[in-house]
């Protein structure tokens, strides 16, 4: 069983897909607009997304790009555009597979099962542990000694990136490029977010436990002694 987000504005089509997936024992959530789908993906990450291209608030190809900026969740594009160049463009933009409408329930489930198998076989550990700190990448949740941390999206992204590189010094330039997705910017933005993270981890720059600044180089996340 997987959690699947169906992004489709046509109520009849959305209902039919939900019914078919539920019949196969999947847990299904749905959204009729691209921005609602993005909110779902960031707040309650699904195992897979079925994305219609004809959404009312944003073209599906633009929605795909936005999804890829915040998540690596498998995405199956459902499209009526039976055009080879268009399908190639969508796959290159980050879609994992595609379905041309109309499609059968068996076809949908075969494609879904395939992308889920690929994702599970390629997935790295989804819960990172650094001492008593646990970072759940799928649920986008973090705890210290079992106590949940209340983090903004950016704070979580920063903590997760550092946790995946524990015991290694990460430069501010790397953080700016990989977490903020910017080629240049102000180090102060990173320092402010690090300060907020320290506060939530129960530490300070002068008395660090997890987050250690290496002057002139960057920052390192380590397990407390």
């Amino acid at each position: 069983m997987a959690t699947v987000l169906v992004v489709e504005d046509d109520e009849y089509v959305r209902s039919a897909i939900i019914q078919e997936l539920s019949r196969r024992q999947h847990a299904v959530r749905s959204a009729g607009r691209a921005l609602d789908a993005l909110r779902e993906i960031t707040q309650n990450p699904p195992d897979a997304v079925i994305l219609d291209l004809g959404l009312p608030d944003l073209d599906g190809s633009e929605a795909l790009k936005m999804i890829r900026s915040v998540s690596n969740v498998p995405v199956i594009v459902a499209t009526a555009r039976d055009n080879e160049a268009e399908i190639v463009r969508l796959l290159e933009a980050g879609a994992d597979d595609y379905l041309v409408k109309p499609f059968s329930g068996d076809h949908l489930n075969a494609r879904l099962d395939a992308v889920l198998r690929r994702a599970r076989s390629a997935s790295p550990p989804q819960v990172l542990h650094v001492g008593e700190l646990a970072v759940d990448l799928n649920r986008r949740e973090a705890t210290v000694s079992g106590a949940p941390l209340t983090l903004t999206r950016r704070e979580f992204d920063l903590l997760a990136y550092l946790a995946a590189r524990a015991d290694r010094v990460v430069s501010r330039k790397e953080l700016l490029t990989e977490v903020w997705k910017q080629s240049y910017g102000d180090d102060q933005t990173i320092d402010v977010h690090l300060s907020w993270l320290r506060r939530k981890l129960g530490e300070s720059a002068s008395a660090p436990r997890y987050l250690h600044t290496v002057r002139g180089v960057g920052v390192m996340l380590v397990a407390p002694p």
Side-chain angles (χ1 to χ4, degrees), residues 10-171:
D10 185 305
E11 291 186 12
Y12 175 78
V13 175
R14 185 168 69 237
S15 177
I17 293 175
I18 291 172
Q19 185 176 3
E20 175 62 29
L21 294 176
S22 298
R23 189 172 67 83
R24 303 290 180 112
Q25 305 302 311
H26 294 302
V28 187
R29 299 198 301 270
S30 67
R33 299 167 64 88
L35 295 181
D36 293 336
L38 285 166
R39 190 177 303 112
E40 274 289 319
I41 289 167
T42 56
Q43 294 180 358
N44 301 290
D47 297 312
V49 174
I50 298 171
L51 175 67
D52 174 51
L53 293 186
L55 300 173
D57 58 335
L58 194 64
D59 182 75
S61 58
E62 290 300 314
L64 175 61
K65 292 177 184 177
M66 294 179 71
I67 290 171
R68 278 292 164 257
S69 72
V70 299
S71 174
N72 290 321
V73 63
V75 177
I76 300 174
V77 170
T79 176
R81 308 171 193 176
D82 189 8
N83 176 285
E84 183 176 347
E86 174 72 1
I87 290 170
V88 169
R89 185 178 68 83
L90 291 167
L91 293 171
E92 289 178 343
D96 294 271
D97 207 341
Y98 70 94
L99 287 163
V100 177
K101 296 179 178 179
F103 48 81
S104 68
D106 287 342
H107 193 179
L108 167 63
N109 279 286
R111 295 291 180 112
L112 178 60
D113 288 346
V115 299
L116 288 171
R117 280 197 304 272
R118 290 198 297 269
R120 285 164 181 162
S121 64
S123 291
Q126 295 302 297
V127 181
L128 305 174
H129 294 274
V130 183
E132 293 297 315
L133 171 66
V135 181
D136 189 322
L137 302 180
N138 278 339
R139 296 180 178 274
R140 293 184 65 82
E141 296 173 349
T143 61
V144 174
S145 301
L149 300 176
T150 303
L151 303 174
T152 66
R153 182 177 67 84
R154 186 71 76 193
E155 288 168 357
F156 180 87
D157 290 344
L158 176 57
L159 183 62
Y161 190 84
L162 293 171
R165 294 154 185 82
D167 300 315
R168 176 167 83 77
V169 180
V170 180
S171 70

Side-chain angles (χ1 to χ4, degrees), residues 194-195 197-213 215 220 222-225:
L194 287 171
S195 177
L197 263 184
R198 283 192 173 101
R199 193 176 309 154
K200 293 178 179 181
L201 289 168
E203 61 183 60
S204 66
S206 60
R209 297 178 62 245
Y210 286 95
L211 287 170
H212 293 255
T213 298
R215 191 175 299 277
M220 179 169 57
V222 300

